[in-house]
Amino acid sequence: MAFKEYGDYDGVGLAELVRSKQVTAAELLDEAIARTDALDPKLNAIVVRHDDHARKQIEAGLPDGPFKGVPFVLKDLDLLAGTRTTFGASLYKDFVAPHTGTLASRFVAAGLTIFGKSASPEFGLMPTTESRLHGPTRNPWNLDHSSGGSSGGAAAAVAARILPVAHASDGGGSIRIPASACGVFGLKPTRARNPIGPDRGEGWGGFACGHVVSISVRDSAVMLDALNGPEPTSPYVAPPPERPFAQEVGRDPGRLRIAFTDVSTYGDAIDPEIAAAVRDTAKLLEGLGHHVEQRAPKLPADPAEVIAAIVACNTGLSVRLAEQAAGRPMTDQDFEVLTLASAANARRASGVDYCGAQLLAYQISRSLADFFQGVDVFLSPTLCLQPLKIGELDTMARDLSGISPLLRRYIPGTSLFNMSGQPAMSVPLAWSRSGLPMGMMFAGRFGDEATLLRLASQLEQAQPWKTRRPPNCA
């Protein structure tokens, strides 16, 4: 690895080096490839490689976007014409994308050189990244632990400084969960802020969206400027921002009204180190001049049951489409046991059941909207347990009965803001005694990424995380 300072720069910083001709896009790509070759045998974060595609991008001339020349990977759920996308599934191990998705097109227009795909669990279903097809993605802070999911490959690659920023997506916490587990910044935008077409309509009933995980708040904000806005197939659009998101970074957030909780969504006690970290974060916020009080929203329905129903029906559709294309039933040679079980649950459900789940999601959304009438930001733990060990969530187990109770303890609160469509972010503000990151989740009002970005920028200055490096890092 020739460019030792590469890991000190965020994506915007690397693009500035390219723009000022201090380094070339080809040199940055070579550095990212060298770091991947050196670190990925341990991490298993980048599971599809197409280095030549990135080199051809450079040779053809890169668009003059804000990330011109910055190396990048897509999550292995999105399409880039002529490259392999597996969706983490054995059935699709050789699938080559026939076209490019809208989000990926905007990444290309931003000037990024895309040399591979980051690991995802099968269809992005789990909060850990351990697909049968590709194997487990390991946490750079401790290789025995999961990097989170479903954007676990992206978060591991960024934490290890293979990349400063990487594509991620979030249908129930899949940006924030791995951001917390790997100690990087992850913002889930407002519903319909970023495009998801043309192959998806809403994505898990409007729960899912795409963005990035990053080293810096600045990269996330600048990327949001590059990505946001409707596409011809958008069923609805997010409220337009008052100013470019990049201009929110460093802007004074004012004195915010911040509510917090150090227990789970269900009122249960959580990992004591994580609970203490939430309380410490509340004190930090008070010290920064914010009004902080301990209270949480009361929910009219069980979010775990709601998301399970919505995800099962969408998984059932994916399996049915695969069966129609193959002309035969899918087996556990094609998909993992969990995927097939989820699809079977969907077949037993009715259209009335699906509509009922969506109604409960709307009721949860309305209760959250009421709660946010009195607060600007809500602080809670991103994860309520330390990052899981590899193998704790087994999607090939014949007995899957232990998965739902574990998820209820591990990630009880992330899906709330997928249901409501509100922006939410995981900020790397604490580390456990064992050295694992503990992300803090902040949610804002619908359409108000601006407040979150201002607050994140303030926290980044007050308690910097960029210089913290995991042991398995370039």
Side-chain angles (χ1 to χ4, degrees), residues 3 27-28 61 65 93 117 250 260 286 328-329 344 368 375 420 448:
F3 184 9
E27 288 169 336
L28 290 184
K93 63 185 176 63
K117 306 283 179 8
F260 80 95
E286 280 187 322
R328 62 174 176 80
L368 289 170
V375 301
S420 67
D448 191 16

Side-chain angles (χ1 to χ4, degrees), residues 169-258:
S169 58
D170 193 316
S174 290
I175 288 174
R176 292 157 287 155
I177 294 163
S180 177
C182 292
V184 297
F185 180 73
L187 170 70
K188 181 200 82 70
T190 295
R191 177 178 294 148
R193 176 71 70 202
N194 291 343
I196 61 171
D199 299 291
R200 300 182 182 98
E202 291 185 286
W204 287 7
F207 291 6
C209 63
H211 191 44
V212 294
V213 290
S214 57
I215 294 171
S216 71
V217 176
R218 176 173 72 164
D219 272 3
S220 190
V222 173
M223 193 71 81
L224 200 55
D225 285 324
L227 300 178
N228 86 98
E231 59 188 319
T233 56
S234 296
Y236 38 71
V237 298
E242 181 180 349
R243 61 182 67 86
F245 292 109
Q247 293 180 16
E248 305 298 351
V249 179
R251 186 178 288 267
D252 184 358
R255 187 169 191 259
L256 299 174
R257 298 169 299 167
I258 301 176

Side-chain angles (χ1 to χ4, degrees), residues 38-60:
L39 291 171
D40 211 46
K42 290 189 290 185
L43 299 177
N44 193 34
I46 300 174
V47 293
V48 174
R49 293 282 292 276
H50 39 76
D51 301 0
D52 288 346
H53 178 92
R55 290 195 173 98
K56 287 175 183 175
Q57 282 184 274
I58 294 170
E59 289 167 7

Side-chain angles (χ1 to χ4, degrees), residues 58 122 132 137 150 167-169 282 291 306 327 388 432 440 443 453:
I58 294 170
E122 190 166 280
R132 173 180 58 181
T137 299
S150 62
H167 171 222
S169 58
H291 172 78
V306 174
L388 299 179
S432 69
M440 299 293 107
L453 289 167

Side-chain angles (χ1 to χ4, degrees), residues 125-149:
L125 293 178
M126 282 284 102
T128 185
T129 302
E130 303 177 49
S131 73
R132 173 180 58 181
L133 176 62
H134 295 300
T137 299
R138 298 181 181 275
N139 194 313
W141 295 90
N142 185 323
L143 298 176
D144 292 332
H145 288 261
S146 167
S147 63

